[in-house]
């Protein structure tokens, strides 16, 4: 079979299964109000939870950074790509999260791969929530460690696997528990205090990917660790991203000095890639400042979440149980999820139809995400249109 024949057959099958993915072309800045193919729409699918991606102060900080440092960083962090802006951002992230030290990565995917593969080898064990993000799953598999997925948010399932490892291994082995903080397709929050307890009981390490919690959760926006008041000792490996609530790009790991120094030495996705543009670091420094100074954004976001859920309930829309900006509505059938999403887009609302393999088979859904910049009127209009689309 030729390569082209193989590729075409896969694409045809993808279309027949209603799983074919297509990109929308954005003609405007990111935000609640966007232009797609020359049409004005209201977006309910962005991860820009606080409305910072197009904030004038963030844009200005980016411009200043580009004026001073230029555009590209020109090298990896360990050659000559680590600017003063990178260093200052790392220090500010560490202070904000209450950790000793931070290290920047070019994306959340690279951060997860970097830390897990740096810490584990074939003699170790990694335990992951069944609904973890793809980057965490890939990180566990690529580490070479013995890999086990436990039932979603089920600490008893996790404990059972940990006990089995303990009983079957007479010599000491490293064990890493990895979970999303906020699950990206369900919107629910991991039971971190219980995971801390289980990790301590079983002499295991704990890591969370707080991509969707950082900036959105906690009194000051420091994410799940602040939400549950977890110390560095309780939660030793914390990953966060900068391209969601902070509205810029990149990711970071925070933890002890020994952890971060180990990643500098051993994380291949940090060592062997070009550093983030310094201007992005400067823009992120401003975003981080706004997260701390403009608490009204987080308050408005959570007001919108409460309003959305209450209004959906009055319309008998059966949302998944989520108190975060991610508000999924399970449709089930792939084709129907696409049709409902298209109906919404024709009416001027952008909501993503999420299908397998991103979510389990039979659970295709609309992944509605809320922002601090949505108005209650926009929420009501979306829900009314959605109700009509589901009846069609």
């Amino acid at each position: 079979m030729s390569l082209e024949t193989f590729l075409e057959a896969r694409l045809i099958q993808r279309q027949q299964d209603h799983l074919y993915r297509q990109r929308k072309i954005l003609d405007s800045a990111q935000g609640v109000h966007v232009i797609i193919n020359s049409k004005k729409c209201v977006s309910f699918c962005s991860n820009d939870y606080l409305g910072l991606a197009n904030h004038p102060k963030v844009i200005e900080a980016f411009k200043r950074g580009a004026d001073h440092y230029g555009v590209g960083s020109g090298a990896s962090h360990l050659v000559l790509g680590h600017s003063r802006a990178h260093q200052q951002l790392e220090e500010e992230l560490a202070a904000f999260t209450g950790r000793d030290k931070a290290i920047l990565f070019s994306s959340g995917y690279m951060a997860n791969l970097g830390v897990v593969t740096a810490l584990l080898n074939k003699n170790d064990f990694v335990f992951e929530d069944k609904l973890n993000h793809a980057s965490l799953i890939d990180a566990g598999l690529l580490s070479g460690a013995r890999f086990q997925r436990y039932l979603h948010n089920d600490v008893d399932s996790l404990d059972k696997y940990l006990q089995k490892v303990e009983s079957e291994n007479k010599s000491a082995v490293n064990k890493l528990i990895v979970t999303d903080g906020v699950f990206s397709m369900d919107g629910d929050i991991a039971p971190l205090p219980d995971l801390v307890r289980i990790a301590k009981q079983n002499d295991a390490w704990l890591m969370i990917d707080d991509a969707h919690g950082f900036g959105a959760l906690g009194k000051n926006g420091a994410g799940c660790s602040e939400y549950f008041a977890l110390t560095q000792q309780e939660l030793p490996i914390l990953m966060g991203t900068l391209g969601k609530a902070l509205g810029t790009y990149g990711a970071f790991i925070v933890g002890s000095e020994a952890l971060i120094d180990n990643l500098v030495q051993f994380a291949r996705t940090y060592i062997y890639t070009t550093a983030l543009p310094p201007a992005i670091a400067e823009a992120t420094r401003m975003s981080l400042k706004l997260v701390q100074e403009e608490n009204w954004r987080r308050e408005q976001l959570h007001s919108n979440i409460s309003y959305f859920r209450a209004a959906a309930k009055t319309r008998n829309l059966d949302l998944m149980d989520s108190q975060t900006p991610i508000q999924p509505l399970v449709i089930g059938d792939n084709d129907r999820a696409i049709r409902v999403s298209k109906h919404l887009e024709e009416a001027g609302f952008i909501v993503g139809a999420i299908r397998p393999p991103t979510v389990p088979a039979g659970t295709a859904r609309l992944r509605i995400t809320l922002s601090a910049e949505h108005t209650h009127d926009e929420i009501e209009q979306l829900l009314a249109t959605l109700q009509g689309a589901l009846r069609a």
Side-chain angles (χ1 to χ4, degrees):
M1 180 186 296
S2 71
L3 174 61
E4 286 301 311
T5 300
F6 166 74
L7 296 175
E8 289 295 336
R10 285 212 306 179
L11 293 175
I12 291 169
Q13 186 62 56
R14 198 76 162 177
Q15 291 169 332
Q16 291 174 346
D17 294 338
H18 306 291
L19 297 175
Y20 190 76
R21 294 181 169 111
Q22 293 176 289
R23 297 174 295 181
K24 299 182 189 302
I25 299 175
L26 187 65
D27 292 314
S28 65
Q30 187 60 259
V32 165
H33 303 112
V34 295
I35 300 174
I36 297 176
N37 296 328
S38 302
K39 180 181 179 180
K40 293 181 179 180
C41 299
V42 181
S43 170
F44 279 92
C45 64
S46 169
N47 296 324
D48 182 26
Y49 302 131
L50 299 179
L52 295 178
N54 194 33
H55 194 291
K57 289 185 177 180
V58 177
I59 295 170
E60 182 58 34
F62 178 85
K63 291 177 178 177
R64 288 198 306 271
D67 286 341
H68 183 77
Y69 293 103
V71 178
S73 58
S76 69
H77 283 280
L78 295 184
V79 177
L80 196 60
H82 190 72
S83 70
R84 178 67 60 186
H86 293 118
Q87 183 65 30
Q88 290 172 327
L89 176 57
E90 287 180 346
E91 292 170 359
E92 289 159 9
L93 286 166
F96 181 54
T97 56
R99 266 60 183 171
D100 292 345
K101 206 168 183 179
I103 183 172
L104 291 170
F105 284 82
S106 296
S107 71
Y109 213 111
M110 293 178 75
N112 284 336
L113 261 64
V115 67
V116 176
T117 58
L119 296 181
L120 302 179
N121 61 43
K122 64 181 181 179
N123 299 315
D124 301 323
F125 291 83
V126 59
F127 304 87
E128 298 209 19
D129 190 289
K130 194 172 181 64
L131 297 187
N132 270 358
H133 188 267
S135 61
L136 293 174
I137 301 299
D138 288 353
L141 293 171
L142 290 171
S143 72
R146 284 165 280 187
F147 183 88
Q148 179 64 60
R149 297 169 77 176
Y150 59 90
L151 297 177
H152 178 51
N153 278 350
D154 189 329
V155 292
D156 291 333
S157 171
L158 169 62
D159 192 40
K160 180 183 72 174
Y161 289 123
L162 284 164
Q163 292 295 329
K164 183 180 179 182
V165 167
E166 187 68 25
S167 65
E168 294 178 354
N169 291 269
K170 303 306 179 184
S171 58
V173 293
N174 294 325
K175 294 164 285 187
L176 176 64
I177 301 166
V178 185
T179 182
D180 279 352
V182 174
F183 288 87
S184 59
M185 294 300 135
D186 289 45
D188 54 344
I189 303 173
L192 292 182
D194 290 333
L195 293 176
V196 168
R197 173 178 54 81
I198 292 293
K200 185 176 181 180
Q201 288 174 355
N202 291 276
D203 193 25
W205 311 332
L206 179 61
M207 170 184 173
I208 74 159
D209 173 341
D210 203 21
H212 295 276
F214 187 68
L217 296 182
K219 181 181 178 181
N220 299 299
C224 287
S225 63
E226 183 183 35
Y227 182 80
F228 288 112
L230 300 178
T231 65
Q232 179 174 290
Q233 185 175 12
E234 293 170 315
L235 178 56
I237 309 169
L238 171 61
M239 191 283 273
T241 58
L242 309 172
K244 297 178 175 64
L246 266 70
T248 60
Y249 187 73
F252 63 91
I253 302 285
V254 286
S256 69
E257 287 200 23
L259 171 68
I260 303 308
D261 289 349
N262 264 263
L263 296 181
V264 170
Q265 302 302 319
F266 300 110
R268 293 169 68 85
T269 58
Y270 178 79
I271 298 167
Y272 301 109
T273 194
T274 300
L276 277 173
I280 291 288
E282 289 289 15
T284 306
R285 294 182 65 206
M286 178 55 70
S287 288
L288 188 61
K289 185 177 181 181
L290 292 170
V291 165
Q292 297 170 79
E293 291 180 351
E294 297 187 355
N295 285 326
W296 65 263
R297 291 180 178 274
R298 199 159 36 259
E299 292 166 2
Q300 184 59 47
L301 172 63
H302 287 278
S303 172
N304 283 347
I305 293 168
S306 298
Y307 186 89
F308 176 85
R309 292 191 65 83
K313 186 175 182 180
T314 64
R315 296 176 184 274
N316 296 315
L317 295 174
D318 191 16
L319 299 171
M320 296 183 73
D321 187 14
S322 167
Q323 301 303 317
T324 70
I326 302 164
Q327 295 292 317
L329 177 66
V330 173
I331 303 296
D333 179 73
N334 296 336
D335 183 43
R336 186 167 184 243
I338 294 170
R339 284 188 279 110
V340 173
S341 178
K342 285 183 176 178
H343 183 109
L344 291 172
E345 184 170 352
E346 289 168 1
F349 298 101
I350 308 299
V351 177
I354 309 298
R355 293 152 286 154
T358 306
V359 294
T363 69
R365 66 198 62 181
L366 298 178
R367 181 182 181 270
I368 302 164
T369 56
L370 297 169
S371 166
E373 296 199 327
H374 284 121
T375 67
H376 288 182
D377 283 346
E378 288 167 340
I379 291 171
E380 287 288 357
Q381 291 166 22
L382 169 71
L383 290 171
T385 307
L386 175 57
Q387 194 171 35
L390 291 170
R391 289 172 178 167

